[in-house]
Amino acid sequence: MQPTVFILDDDPAFTRALSQLACTEGYQVQVAHTLGEAHELLGRHRADLLILDLDLPDGSGLGLLEELDMSQHGQVAIVTGNPTLDTARRAVGSPVVEYLLKPVRVEQLESLLRRTMLRHWPEPPAEARSILDRLVGKSPAMREVMDTVFRIASSDAPVLLIGESGTGKERVARAVHEVSGRQGRFVALGCDSLPDEGLGHELFGSVSDPDARRDNHAGIFEQAAGGTVFLDRVTELPSYLQAQLLRFIDSGEVKRIGADDGVPADVRLVFSTTIDPAERIAEGGFREDLYYAISDFRLCLPPLRERGDDVVLLAGVFIRRLNEHYGQAKRLAPGAERELLEHDWPGNIRELRGAVQRAYLLQRGDQLRVQPQPLVRCVPRVSGGASLSFAVGDTLAELERRAVLATLEHFDNDKTAAAKALGVSVRTIYNHLARISGKDPVDPDPRKAA
């Protein structure tokens, strides 16, 4: 059950900003702008924290404290832009824990909210803590991630995870699901993993389509009923699917492709992206209204280079797992920690795990030195392929067009092989072909998508 914060203030901008901050910290929020509204709400609902303004249209927040049965409520904080000696004295003689002067610093409000949260939930349940311990790390940045996961897991609000590739976004999404106690499945899907038509069918499902030889198919929102759906790289979602996703979030009903009506789907939504959504919005590749719909809770995952000694801790975890698998007793060599800490690990946890496994399998002896592997392009040049020439002034779009067509021709129109040779995703190839043919990169009719 979430703790509740009650805000009494007649300044709409302040209440809006404080409400958003409280939601981010894991609270349910109730707001009143007058003493009359406050009496009505607090007569029906208990609050774990009351944040009261002194100067209201119909009186003072301190007057409310004198009329309430405070045994039914939690702590109290006063915020005011007009402090007086009298109100300060009255506050000292009441259950007020904070007397804050406007403009209030965000750090002051965060501290107040977090201290109240700890009072409400001093320690997570043992089961939840064991789940969070799978998110290995003792750095302040990682502990903050773990604490936030615990605070937000019990709500149904969407979560947006932002972090570089390899920072553990899916693992965090699974932790949100497991701590939430939801009984349904955890289902994950990469928004850049399939051509547009296939992605639409995986997301929303489909009804019988004899022409496409498809039977009725449940999408991931139905498959995860009562559970959690994790959409990785959501900013790569094609525009027409962004519109369908927004409709689903707003309505709570999923409509299969080709169906006339939607059906309810109770799922918790967790999204991730490797880039700042603002960049994609500015480029016109992502809907701003969808961003606001999916980011009730926005959680930034730290890259490994910002986690300090966590890199050594993680290396030890990977070695222990390999020891359990292979029945050996290997360990880091003396001084190996320095080499781990000196590398930036641009591939983050995924790069570290590969480096540990490489050292484990290739190095002789029980003492390991984990060495990063330089990033090199291993895709060989296509032998016998046509060469391309260009003139200074040719546009990049033209060069891309010719490179895509020549590579497809070499691989007999095998889009997967061409994508691998060019170092791009298969969906990028499909989008290039759509642009070359004069269509939009994504056909708005999923049954006609290339």
Side-chain angles (χ1 to χ4, degrees):
M1 181 178 177
Q2 288 178 275
T4 298
V5 60
F6 177 83
I7 304 168
L8 172 59
D9 199 295
D10 62 341
D11 182 347
F14 178 76
T15 55
R16 186 164 53 248
L18 180 52
S19 297
Q20 184 175 0
L21 181 62
C23 286
T24 302
E25 294 294 328
Y27 284 85
Q28 290 182 335
V29 178
Q30 296 174 346
V31 176
H33 300 291
T34 66
L35 284 175
E37 293 176 1
H39 279 295
E40 181 180 353
L41 283 171
L42 293 175
R44 294 183 283 115
H45 303 285
R46 179 189 181 278
D48 299 289
L49 173 64
L50 293 86
I51 301 178
L52 310 177
D53 188 14
L54 293 182
D55 302 307
L56 300 163
D58 54 349
S60 169
L62 283 176
L64 180 68
L65 297 183
E66 297 167 356
E67 300 168 9
L68 284 178
D69 179 2
M70 290 306 299
S71 65
Q72 300 300 311
H73 301 283
Q75 296 179 312
V76 179
I78 296 295
V79 291
T80 180
N82 299 296
T84 66
L85 184 59
D86 177 60
T87 56
R89 286 172 176 165
R90 292 173 64 192
V92 169
S94 68
V96 173
V97 296
E98 293 277 3
Y99 189 94
L100 304 174
L101 304 183
K102 292 183 178 179
V104 186
R105 298 198 314 274
V106 173
E107 295 81 3
Q108 291 177 295
L109 294 172
E110 286 178 337
S111 175
L112 172 64
L113 291 166
R114 289 172 184 175
R115 280 186 280 113
T116 304
M117 178 69 74
L118 290 173
R119 178 186 175 97
H120 186 79
W121 272 328
E123 281 294 331
E127 180 182 356
R129 178 52 60 188
S130 67
I131 292 169
L132 293 181
D133 283 344
R134 300 177 200 171
L135 303 177
V136 178
K138 294 184 178 179
S139 63
M142 204 58 200
R143 299 311 298 181
E144 183 174 351
V145 168
M146 296 178 193
D147 291 341
T148 302
V149 166
F150 176 74
R151 291 200 302 270
I152 67 179
S154 62
S155 80
D156 295 326
V159 180
L160 176 61
L161 307 175
I162 302 176
E164 297 175 7
S165 180
T167 49
K169 293 183 291 296
E170 182 167 345
R171 185 173 287 269
V172 172
R174 286 184 180 276
V176 171
H177 169 69
E178 293 178 1
V179 176
S180 74
R182 281 183 163 266
Q183 299 303 306
R185 295 172 55 197
F186 175 89
V187 182
L189 180 66
C191 293
D192 62 343
S193 61
L194 294 169
D196 299 338
E197 180 184 13
L199 183 59
H201 285 276
E202 285 301 311
L203 279 170
F204 300 102
S206 59
V207 296
S208 296
D209 184 353
D211 294 335
R213 298 180 180 178
R214 285 192 183 87
D215 296 323
N216 287 330
H217 170 68
I220 60 172
F221 299 116
E222 292 180 77
Q223 295 173 29
T228 302
V229 167
F230 172 56
L231 294 184
D232 187 26
R233 295 180 183 263
V234 67
T235 51
E236 301 303 312
L237 199 63
S239 58
Y240 82 91
L241 292 179
Q242 291 180 35
Q244 289 182 241
L245 176 60
L246 183 60
R247 283 195 294 271
F248 167 66
I249 294 172
D250 288 342
S251 68
E253 291 190 347
V254 60
K255 184 178 178 182
R256 292 187 182 184
I257 294 174
D260 295 325
D261 301 310
V263 295
D266 172 28
V267 293
R268 175 70 177 276
L269 298 173
V270 182
F271 305 90
S272 79
T273 175
T274 58
I275 63 174
D276 188 336
E279 295 181 13
R280 291 285 287 156
I281 292 171
E283 296 168 355
F286 197 68
R287 296 175 61 123
E288 187 172 2
D289 50 0
L290 179 57
Y291 166 72
Y292 290 117
I294 69 175
S295 59
D296 284 9
F297 293 113
R298 172 174 161 147
L299 181 57
C300 295
L301 304 192
L304 194 51
R305 62 183 172 274
E306 295 179 3
R307 293 177 53 182
D309 291 340
D310 280 359
V311 64
V312 179
L313 187 64
L314 282 161
V317 169
F318 296 146
I319 292 171
R320 284 197 298 275
R321 290 175 184 171
L322 290 166
N323 281 336
E324 292 171 2
H325 182 74
Y326 290 105
Q328 299 191 45
K330 296 188 177 185
R331 61 190 183 279
L332 284 174
E337 293 87 351
R338 186 181 69 254
E339 295 170 291
L340 289 168
L341 292 167
E342 288 177 348
H343 185 57
D344 277 347
W345 301 105
N348 292 297
I349 299 171
R350 192 176 290 119
E351 180 189 2
L352 175 63
R353 184 171 55 240
V356 169
Q357 179 158 298
R358 197 163 51 248
Y360 192 96
L361 296 177
L362 296 181
Q363 293 179 17
R364 295 191 176 125
D366 290 339
Q367 296 190 356
L368 304 177
R369 306 196 79 87
V370 179
Q371 299 171 335
Q373 184 165 289
L375 178 63
V376 294
R377 182 176 175 83
C378 295
V379 178
R381 291 179 61 86
V382 177
S383 60
S387 62
L388 296 176
S389 60
F390 65 93
V392 174
D394 285 351
T395 65
L396 288 175
E398 171 63 15
L399 295 178
E400 286 183 349
R401 184 189 72 81
R402 288 157 59 189
V404 168
L405 292 177
T407 308
L408 282 168
E409 182 179 1
H410 178 82
F411 288 104
D412 296 325
N413 207 38
D414 185 330
K415 297 176 180 61
T416 301
K420 184 176 181 181
L422 290 169
V424 298
S425 68
V426 175
R427 194 154 72 79
T428 298
I429 297 293
Y430 277 93
N431 285 339
H432 271 293
L433 291 174
R435 281 193 291 269
I436 291 168
S437 66
K439 300 177 181 178
D440 291 333
V442 176
D443 193 318
D445 183 349
R447 290 167 294 183
K448 297 179 183 178

